[in-house]
Amino acid sequence: MSLLTETRKLIVPARTAPGPSPLARAAVPPLAPGALPGLGHAGALLRDPLGFLGSLSRHGGVVRIRLGPRTVCVVTDARLVHTLLVALAHDCPRGAVQDTLRTAFGDGLLMSEGQAHRDRRRIIQPAFGPDRMGEYLAVMQQVTEERAGRWRPGQVLDVAKEMNHLALEIVTRSLFDARLSEDATVAFHRALPDLVKGQIVQSLYPNPALARLPLPVNRRFDGAVRVLNRVVDQAVNGRSATAGPGAGRRTLPALLRSATDPATGCPLTEADVRSEAITMFGAGTETVSTTLTWLLDELLRHPEVEARILAELDEHLPAGAVPTPEALARLTYTRSVTQEVVRLHAPNAFLMRTAQVPVELGPYRVPAGTELLYSLTALHRDPERYPEPLDFRPERWQIGSGSGRPSFLPFGAGKHKCIGEAFAWAELTVAAATILRRWRPMAVPGSRAREVVWTTVQAHGLRVRLAPRGARSPRGRTASASREGDAASSPGATVPSSHSETPPVRCPFTGATGAITPAAAAAATGRSAPAVPTSPAPTSPAPTSPAPASAAPAGPRPPRDLRRAADRHADWAVRRGLLTPAELPRYRAYALQELIGHAYPRVRGAELDLLVDVLGWFTILDDRFDGSPGRHPAEARAVVDPLIAVLEGARGGSPSESHLLLAWRELWARQTASMSSEWRTRAAREWRSCLATFPAEADHRARGTVPALDRDLTDTMKLRRHGSCLYPFMNILERVHGADAPAALHAEPALHRLRANTADAATLINDLYSLKREERQAGPAFNTVLTLERAHGCTRGRAVHAVRSRVERLQQESEELRRDLLRRHPAGRWYLDGTRELVAGVQAWTSTSHRYLVPDGGRRR
């Protein structure tokens, strides 16, 4: 059980489907592939619980797996889970995981079934009645203010630890009117991991007698049970609960002690009181604290969401005001954010039921005695129910969207639905609001939250540096950011860098070892400073365009925004199966977020994340063609054709779809969301042209040919300009701006020429820096410098000079085109300036990225 449960309004009752045929009614759930002799699927479940459970839905709504000698049915369809929890609740009581806790803590609300559960729920329900909520809200705010008041500016906070302590203190003060000693609080949190690990291990034992053996995991579990009992005794028997007649009458222990057990007619025993208290402590701390940790992590990744929450708080819950239920009801956006956190980071990795009689779940018949397992985390990440399921999108829950609500079952349904639902949502909101009003958390590099899965999905590793909310240095930075900048500039200071793990490299032009500075790179190509166009910016007057919809307030983007985007992208790429953790150090050294940062200087938040994800995906795809698909046209088409089919509306769902294809489906949906049909048509056309260059180049490599070309590179650019993905990224200028460029501007032949020049210039700059890397490829490389050498016998120096001169001419001509277009279409200035920034961004990034540098010894990276 968890105290976090979605409101009843969002739970859709079970639907009555047409009765299946007798044959379908007798269907046996399919067996998941990949079972190993003796182990079954236990290895896959323990190695990657969420990935394994999430993969089962492709095989059916109910799927059998084997855990050693046991067979378990996994329910993967949300509506069937709802049926299991509501219509079949009597026939399918709680399973092995909860039985482990029943042995330790007794038959309380969490573990009881049937009439005993109903009786106990009626006794406890008044503690969570609406008349109590105002009192609880005041305590929640006071406890959070006290906790946050002990923090200091510049302090680095272990978020999971602090949220654990905060949640425990809120439960203790609200429900028990007691205070735990610091030693008891520390002991409680140290004991929880051993309790959770023991719970899951003992639930997998083939024989319950194994739990009595003196195995290390069993001893730690028993020790954790003893600790939790001692802590709960301190709260239950604290001063407030026993101070005299009438004292503590409204606390949960007092409520329980005054109740009569309907089954016996006798008062509840102290064992009953302890059992219920342990339930509230366990369910009311770990899941709430984990959700608060994920909430802060997501706000670090999405500062625009944090800004909207603060604005809503200013309007409906002014600073210093005691929260009320009515005030919380007005925080609709904050509620959407907490719902999305609970969806994306559902705290229950898996729960179990046991079929006591034969039951039917959809078309499947489940025999009596079958253990049934379901994962709320997997259900809430089902792409069929939630488009782009791994994306943090609070707008799913805003009025009118309806996204995912029929399958939003985060913390139960039916008679076992969490009794503390309203308490938990209020706790999340009040704690988050109180913290965010007082402190501005800033991510510590390299310490983002990561998933650790047992029976719950915990958040480990997040550390933040605290700055007082609103405190600014004279230059407009937060006080903490100023200190970081001062530290970075002080003698001997070490500044974390994504390049820090990369070995020494050699510049392909100068031969110098070490990181290439922008100045050195510019000198190597005969260019001036890295991101400055060769021609001056247009000076003709024009109205200023509105800032992009996703842009932050004017001013330089904080470096931490790019670090956050890089961290989030690395997590996304690994979760999507595009990279393994072992590949991350080399990949992160590419610093793709820096390219986006240079090319789109005003982009923030979710749009920044989208751009980094698209560029990262394309880079991983491009690297794929360094191998066999780049030399075999049939393999190239096998990779590319399904990607193009997505642009043409092909539906997915095949179990054989590659990680690249699944990620591309997500990215295409994210790109096109809320865009006009004209924009989608244009973007699909440009991506199709871009992707089609891969099989074309593979065909040339297979035949050992290069395209015919003349001296000014025109012919080869017909193939090269689309292969660089600059056209799609020019379309994304409109995506991040929040509106299409004027239709009259799109109709201009001069704009078509400017777009071609932009793509050509960026491609040629890329060719200069990727030269050494690409000439080590097998077969002809589609690098313009190498093409000039091979097709015309140019020396390396002459070829580089020709390409460099072409870049300069393209940039000069582009500035003339911009000035002309700006006079006639002043409303499109933001788009015209964006094409310049794209080229400048490519030049700044290629001069510093480790993607194209060659390690000493000539080994290819």
Side-chain angles (χ1 to χ4, degrees):
M1 187 188 81
S2 166
L3 283 181
L4 293 176
T5 310
E6 172 49 11
T7 56
R8 292 175 176 82
K9 292 186 294 183
L10 298 184
I11 298 297
V12 175
R15 296 182 178 180
T16 303
S21 68
L23 179 61
R25 207 177 276 277
V28 176
L31 179 67
L36 300 176
L39 287 176
H41 301 91
L45 178 63
L46 293 174
R47 183 170 56 251
D48 181 13
L50 300 183
F52 174 69
L53 293 173
S55 71
L56 297 177
S57 61
R58 69 184 64 174
H59 304 296
V62 181
V63 181
R64 287 180 296 135
I65 63 172
R66 290 179 179 151
L67 303 177
R70 297 159 57 186
T71 297
V72 175
C73 283
V74 181
V75 187
T76 67
D77 183 271
R79 297 195 184 280
L80 296 184
V81 170
H82 190 279
T83 299
L84 175 66
L85 299 181
V86 180
L88 300 178
H90 177 74
D91 295 331
C92 299
R94 293 184 174 96
V97 174
Q98 286 88 340
D99 286 343
T100 302
L101 294 183
R102 179 184 288 114
T103 302
F105 298 126
D107 203 18
L109 184 67
L110 178 60
M111 279 70 72
S112 60
E113 295 288 346
Q115 188 61 45
H117 176 83
R118 289 190 289 273
D119 291 342
R120 191 61 58 84
R121 192 177 181 99
R122 289 193 192 101
I123 293 171
I124 297 174
Q125 187 64 58
F128 296 98
D131 59 314
R132 303 296 303 277
M133 191 52 63
E135 176 186 333
Y136 290 153
L137 293 177
V139 175
M140 292 171 185
Q141 184 187 45
Q142 181 182 356
V143 170
T144 309
E145 286 282 8
E146 292 173 2
R147 190 90 201 170
R150 294 196 287 269
W151 302 340
R152 293 293 176 263
Q155 177 182 349
V156 174
L157 208 67
D158 182 329
V159 177
K161 178 181 176 181
E162 285 296 317
M163 295 305 103
N164 278 333
H165 284 237
L166 174 62
L168 178 60
E169 195 169 356
I170 287 175
V171 169
T172 305
R173 297 264 292 274
S174 299
L175 298 180
F176 297 88
D177 192 20
R179 292 177 183 266
L180 294 177
S181 68
E182 187 64 22
D183 289 344
T185 301
V186 172
F188 180 88
H189 292 301
R190 286 178 177 171
L192 276 180
D194 289 333
L195 181 78
V196 172
K197 292 174 185 177
Q199 180 189 12
I200 188 171
V201 171
Q202 291 186 13
S203 71
L204 295 175
Y205 285 155
N207 189 317
L210 292 174
R212 296 192 292 272
L213 295 179
L215 301 173
V217 66
N218 293 340
R219 291 200 304 271
R220 289 192 293 269
F221 177 80
D222 293 340
V225 170
R226 289 192 294 270
V227 169
L228 295 183
N229 275 313
R230 286 199 302 271
V231 172
V232 170
D233 283 344
Q234 185 181 127
V236 169
N237 300 314
R239 173 188 55 79
S240 297
T242 59
R249 182 60 61 187
R250 290 174 64 81
T251 67
L252 181 62
L255 184 67
L256 292 167
R257 287 179 173 128
S258 65
T260 299
D261 187 342
T264 64
C266 299
L268 297 183
T269 66
E270 285 302 305
D272 293 328
V273 175
R274 178 189 290 114
S275 178
E276 301 306 344
I278 287 177
T279 295
M280 297 307 158
F281 270 97
T285 56
E286 184 184 17
T287 53
V288 172
S289 65
T290 298
T291 302
L292 281 171
T293 303
W294 283 119
L295 173 61
L296 291 180
D297 186 72
E298 291 295 350
L299 294 183
L300 289 173
R301 301 172 191 270
H302 302 278
E304 77 285 356
V305 174
E306 180 187 34
R308 285 191 62 180
I309 289 177
L310 289 169
E312 187 174 67
L313 292 175
D314 288 340
E315 181 178 358
H316 298 299
L317 191 61
V322 176
T324 64
E326 294 75 20
L328 296 191
R330 292 192 290 269
L331 301 178
T332 56
Y333 183 73
T334 303
R335 180 55 177 262
S336 296
V337 172
T338 56
Q339 285 176 285
E340 181 68 351
V341 172
V342 171
R343 181 202 67 81
L344 182 55
H345 304 289
N348 291 314
F350 62 86
L351 295 167
M352 297 184 76
R353 295 288 186 268
T354 301
Q356 291 187 328
V357 298
V359 297
E360 294 178 2
L361 279 171
Y364 305 106
R365 186 170 180 82
V366 177
T370 300
E371 292 178 292
L372 296 156
L373 181 151
Y374 61 97
S375 169
L376 293 174
T377 311
L379 290 176
H380 294 164
R381 296 179 181 181
D382 182 355
E384 294 298 320
R385 304 282 185 180
Y386 299 94
E388 300 87 50
L390 298 181
D391 284 357
F392 180 70
R393 291 172 47 191
E395 62 271 18
R396 296 179 201 271
W397 306 103
Q398 292 173 356
I399 295 174
S401 69
S403 177
R405 292 181 180 180
S407 59
F408 189 55
L409 302 170
F411 307 104
K415 67 178 185 178
H416 288 293
K417 189 179 182 183
C418 177
I419 196 171
E421 160 189 356
F423 183 98
W425 287 112
E427 182 180 359
L428 280 172
T429 304
V430 172
T434 305
I435 291 170
L436 292 175
R437 279 198 177 282
R438 188 162 189 164
W439 296 104
R440 182 190 300 275
M442 299 184 298
V444 174
S447 60
R448 303 309 299 269
R450 65 182 187 278
E451 290 180 338
V452 176
V453 183
W454 289 99
T455 53
T456 57
V457 184
Q458 301 168 14
H460 286 196
L462 178 63
R463 293 187 301 139
V464 299
R465 179 174 285 106
L466 297 171
R469 176 65 62 182
R472 296 280 176 178
S473 70
R475 295 187 180 180
R477 298 175 294 170
T478 64
S480 179
S482 297
R483 284 191 294 275
E484 289 178 340
D486 294 341
S489 62
S490 63
T494 300
V495 181
S497 169
S498 59
H499 298 170
S500 59
E501 300 181 48
T502 307
V505 289
R506 188 173 302 280
C507 170
F509 294 99
T510 66
T513 300
I516 298 181
T517 66
T525 57
R527 304 277 301 153
S528 57
V532 179
T534 55
S535 300
T539 57
S540 56
T544 302
S545 300
S550 60
R557 180 196 289 110
R560 64 178 181 272
D561 284 7
L562 293 181
R563 293 196 297 268
R564 289 171 185 164
D567 291 341
R568 194 214 60 82
H569 171 66
D571 293 344
W572 177 83
V574 171
R575 288 199 310 267
R576 273 298 186 183
L578 301 175
L579 296 169
T580 65
E583 293 171 321
L584 275 180
R586 172 190 170 191
Y587 177 78
R588 290 185 69 124
Y590 296 169
L592 298 176
Q593 76 282 357
E594 298 292 339
L595 192 161
I596 297 301
H598 288 301
Y600 299 86
R602 289 167 295 281
V603 172
R604 305 287 194 275
E607 301 296 341
L608 175 61
D609 290 337
L610 171 62
L611 289 167
V612 176
D613 286 348
V614 173
L615 179 62
W617 176 86
F618 185 80
T619 300
I620 293 168
L621 173 70
D622 186 62
D623 284 351
R624 176 76 61 88
F625 286 88
D626 287 349
S628 181
R631 300 186 296 275
H632 298 91
E635 290 184 33
R637 286 190 290 272
V639 173
V640 167
D641 288 349
L643 304 176
I644 293 176
V646 172
L647 303 171
E648 297 168 348
R651 295 183 176 273
S654 169
S656 63
E657 288 189 343
S658 68
H659 293 302
L660 270 171
L661 178 55
L662 291 171
W664 176 237
R665 289 188 187 281
E666 175 195 326
L667 291 173
W668 179 241
R670 286 167 62 188
Q671 289 176 74
T672 57
S674 76
M675 296 304 292
S676 68
S677 59
E678 293 80 7
W679 186 93
R680 291 195 296 270
T681 299
R682 186 165 60 251
R685 180 176 66 248
E686 304 297 2
W687 272 117
R688 191 179 299 111
S689 298
C690 173
L691 295 172
T693 62
F694 288 107
E697 291 183 358
D699 184 68
H700 279 292
R701 291 191 187 98
R703 292 186 287 110
T705 61
V706 293
L709 63 126
D710 54 21
R711 286 285 180 176
D712 67 1
L713 312 180
T714 301
D715 290 345
T716 194
M717 281 292 100
K718 292 179 181 178
L719 178 65
R720 298 285 293 123
R721 68 167 56 116
H722 285 285
S724 64
C725 83
L726 261 293
Y727 274 102
F729 271 89
M730 280 185 277
N731 293 330
I732 291 177
L733 285 169
E734 297 167 280
R735 175 73 173 81
V736 300
H737 183 76
D740 289 13
L745 177 62
H746 273 299
E748 286 277 4
L751 181 69
H752 299 173
R753 182 63 182 169
L754 174 63
R755 283 165 56 90
N757 285 2
T758 300
D760 289 357
T763 299
L764 292 173
I765 291 169
N766 186 282
D767 282 355
L768 289 170
Y769 285 92
S770 64
L771 180 59
K772 289 292 186 182
R773 180 178 186 266
E774 292 183 341
E775 72 178 340
R776 283 167 169 74
Q777 293 179 356
F782 285 85
N783 179 289
T784 312
V785 175
L786 297 177
T787 302
L788 281 173
E789 290 181 19
R790 292 169 179 169
H792 292 276
C794 292
T795 64
R796 173 62 53 87
R798 289 180 62 191
V800 167
H801 177 76
V803 172
R804 191 172 62 217
S805 299
R806 178 62 173 165
V807 171
E808 293 174 354
R809 289 196 299 274
L810 287 169
Q811 291 184 307
Q812 290 169 357
E813 181 180 308
S814 294
E815 287 302 326
E816 294 170 1
L817 290 167
R818 286 190 190 94
R819 283 192 290 270
D820 177 59
L821 289 167
L822 186 61
R823 282 193 295 271
R824 288 179 283 119
H825 304 281
R829 179 168 189 157
W830 58 269
Y831 185 92
L832 300 172
D833 289 347
T835 60
R836 182 197 297 112
E837 289 168 342
L838 273 172
V839 177
V842 169
Q843 187 165 344
W845 175 76
T846 51
S847 67
T848 57
S849 172
H850 284 207
R851 175 165 169 76
Y852 300 127
L853 302 186
V854 180
D856 283 338
R859 292 174 300 167
R860 181 178 170 187
R861 287 186 59 76

